[in-house]
Amino acid sequence: MNFDFTEKQQRIADQAKQIAQKLDLGDVVQRDLAGTFSKPLFRQLINQGVGKWLLPKSMKGDDLNALELTAGIESLAEHCEDSGLIFALSAHLCACIHPIRAFASSEQQAQWLPKITNEAWIGTHAITEPQAGSDIYAMTTNAQKSEDGFVLNGHKDYITNAPVADFIVVHLRTEDRGNYFDYSTFILHSHEYGVSLAKAPHSKSGLRTTAMGDIRFNDCQVPEDALIGRLGAGAPIFQVSMEWERVCLFALYLGQMKRQLQKTAHYVSERQQFDAPLSSYQAVQHQLCDMYLNYETGRLLLYKAAWSLDKGDVTGVASSLAKISISNAAISNGQTAVQLHGAQGVISGDIERMLRDAMPSAIFSGTSNVLKNNISTALIKRLKAQWI
């Protein structure tokens, strides 16, 4: 078993490091306090090469698989203190660009992907509704067939990138038969008549430099070619999108934890208390060891999940295990880092921000409790089948 990066994975990680180090993050504290997303920085990421990561080779893209994208996002997050920016980018790549690459027709890809890349359009992936969070099948926002295509009505809440989006990938109810095929996936411009995006983003405790908001559809008419895949194929498209999000997007927390470890190790080595560095005390050594253990455990699970995803596994078990592990690790390590930094840990800056940015990780892309239910159900089936 070889744990080394492939040549392509290493190239993408090195490219991501170079791109991240060129970002001007001098105002990140101010933007975090103000809750401001930076579209210029997003454009810089796209224009410097990230925009080609998921483009097909036929469009001169890198056509990254899950392992390669995971390596790139981890490296971006390690070298960029604006985790909200990397979160917004990762959601755009995993939940908007990948579904177009994987499920859209060649005509749709030719229509959307070049403009998205060349003009650095940002996408938003709209699923959640007030009554349909973990219970996604409670979705009521719908698309009704019309002579000219479809008419969209309803609303989506707590949607990442919604206030700044140029285009929308949205999952809607198209039937009411009570089964898996009641849902379909659409792509449309955010400025379509009948679409209303929240102008002011939600104020959040973490990931404040990611814009989150609501979307309203009021008799929004879209053409037939707004439908991605077949009518009624929305559920499997959603399932695959969530797999990519739970795996590749969560690489940002790996990068954040690695940056956190480096800063914490440096601080406890330099900080003197009772005529000795903090790192000389066993209690501190154990805490630092636990942080590293959390990081390495989560990293192994996440890269295994990415490997499984590239092999076609969309059962959700590997990705859910990785997500739960990384969520727990990111929150725990964030708390420990704040404690070890003392007063410096609670003053506005990267250390306290990393803890706040970690807190939502146990909620979005499937709450930890729901994912544990899903894992348990799958585990019982596997045990009965003597598969494990």
Side-chain angles (χ1 to χ4, degrees):
M1 186 177 296
N2 186 358
F3 288 95
D4 290 335
F5 273 2
T6 65
E7 182 178 340
K8 187 174 181 182
Q9 287 172 316
Q10 191 60 57
R11 175 176 65 81
I12 294 298
D14 291 342
Q15 179 193 24
K17 176 181 177 180
Q18 294 172 4
I19 292 171
Q21 289 177 335
K22 292 178 182 176
L23 298 174
D24 182 1
L25 300 176
D27 63 344
V28 65
V29 172
Q30 290 76 20
R31 285 191 292 105
D32 175 73
L33 293 174
T36 303
F37 169 76
S38 174
K39 200 155 190 177
L41 289 176
F42 177 87
R43 289 182 181 276
Q44 185 175 339
L45 288 168
I46 296 297
N47 294 335
Q48 291 293 319
V50 176
K52 294 183 178 180
W53 279 0
L54 293 187
L55 278 187
K57 291 180 180 177
S58 61
M59 295 183 180
K60 299 182 179 180
D62 293 308
D63 200 27
L64 301 189
N65 61 24
L67 275 167
E68 293 156 355
L69 182 59
T70 297
I73 292 175
E74 179 184 11
S75 184
L76 280 176
E78 178 186 349
H79 300 285
C80 173
E81 291 189 6
D82 189 348
S83 294
L85 173 67
I86 306 304
F87 181 88
L89 171 75
S90 301
H92 164 83
L93 293 173
C94 299
C96 297
I97 303 302
H98 178 66
I100 299 172
R101 177 180 71 166
F103 298 103
S105 66
S106 56
E107 292 79 12
Q108 288 173 318
Q109 291 177 4
Q111 174 188 353
W112 287 95
L113 290 178
K115 290 186 70 67
I116 290 170
T117 303
N118 296 336
E119 300 181 29
W121 281 4
I122 186 167
T124 185
H125 185 227
I127 303 172
T128 304
E129 299 177 12
Q131 77 292 341
S134 297
D135 182 10
I136 197 64
Y137 294 110
M139 181 188 303
T140 59
T141 303
N142 64 84
Q144 298 292 330
K145 194 74 178 67
S146 70
E147 291 183 4
D148 300 319
F150 297 88
V151 178
L152 281 51
N153 279 289
H155 58 277
K156 299 287 186 177
D157 288 4
Y158 317 120
I159 308 302
T160 298
N161 293 337
V164 295
D166 299 295
F167 71 98
I168 304 168
V169 175
V170 59
H171 300 274
L172 301 167
R173 179 178 289 277
T174 47
E175 292 288 351
D176 197 15
R177 297 170 295 193
N179 62 38
Y180 189 69
F181 304 103
D182 283 352
Y183 312 93
S184 302
T185 305
F186 296 82
I187 182 171
L188 61 149
H189 293 281
S190 61
H191 58 259
E192 292 282 1
Y193 180 80
V195 176
S196 176
L197 303 180
K199 294 181 180 179
H202 291 301
S203 180
K204 313 182 295 300
S205 58
L207 297 170
R208 290 179 56 81
T209 57
T210 298
M212 173 195 283
D214 305 333
I215 305 175
R216 298 290 183 269
F217 300 100
N218 184 18
D219 290 333
C220 173
Q221 177 79 46
V222 297
E224 289 268 4
D225 63 8
L227 178 68
I228 296 179
R230 294 179 291 102
L231 192 66
I237 295 175
F238 163 74
Q239 181 180 3
V240 171
S241 299
M242 284 296 95
E243 285 294 290
W244 276 71
E245 186 170 288
R246 286 173 188 151
V247 175
C248 304
L249 181 148
F250 270 75
L252 83 87
Y253 286 112
L254 290 181
Q256 175 174 291
M257 283 191 284
K258 190 171 182 180
R259 186 175 77 251
Q260 189 177 62
L261 269 166
Q262 292 165 344
K263 290 191 171 187
T264 304
H266 176 77
Y267 182 82
V268 298
S269 298
E270 296 294 321
R271 172 68 169 169
Q272 295 279 324
Q273 288 288 277
F274 305 105
D275 297 322
L278 288 179
S279 59
S280 67
Y281 296 103
Q282 187 180 68
V284 173
Q285 293 171 352
H286 286 188
Q287 286 177 298
L288 200 63
C289 176
D290 288 341
M291 291 177 69
Y292 185 52
L293 178 62
N294 287 340
Y295 164 75
E296 285 289 349
T297 302
R299 193 170 193 267
L300 285 170
L301 281 170
L302 190 72
Y303 275 90
K304 181 186 176 184
W307 172 80
S308 298
L309 190 54
D310 285 335
K311 289 173 66 68
D313 178 10
V314 291
T315 61
V317 174
S319 64
S320 296
L321 285 170
K323 181 188 180 299
I324 292 169
S325 176
I326 290 177
S327 297
N328 292 340
I331 294 170
S332 176
N333 284 14
Q335 292 172 326
T336 301
V338 167
Q339 181 178 349
L340 290 177
H341 278 79
Q344 291 295 319
V346 295
I347 294 175
S348 292
D350 198 28
I351 295 300
E352 63 86 23
R353 187 167 59 248
M354 282 190 275
L355 173 57
R356 289 190 288 105
D357 289 344
M359 295 303 292
S361 65
I363 300 172
F364 63 78
S365 303
T367 67
S368 293
N369 286 342
V370 168
L371 294 182
K372 287 179 180 180
N373 289 345
N374 296 343
I375 293 169
S376 178
T377 300
L379 179 61
I380 290 172
K381 291 180 179 178
R382 291 183 177 188
L383 289 170
K384 286 181 177 179
Q386 295 184 341
W387 186 24
I388 190 172

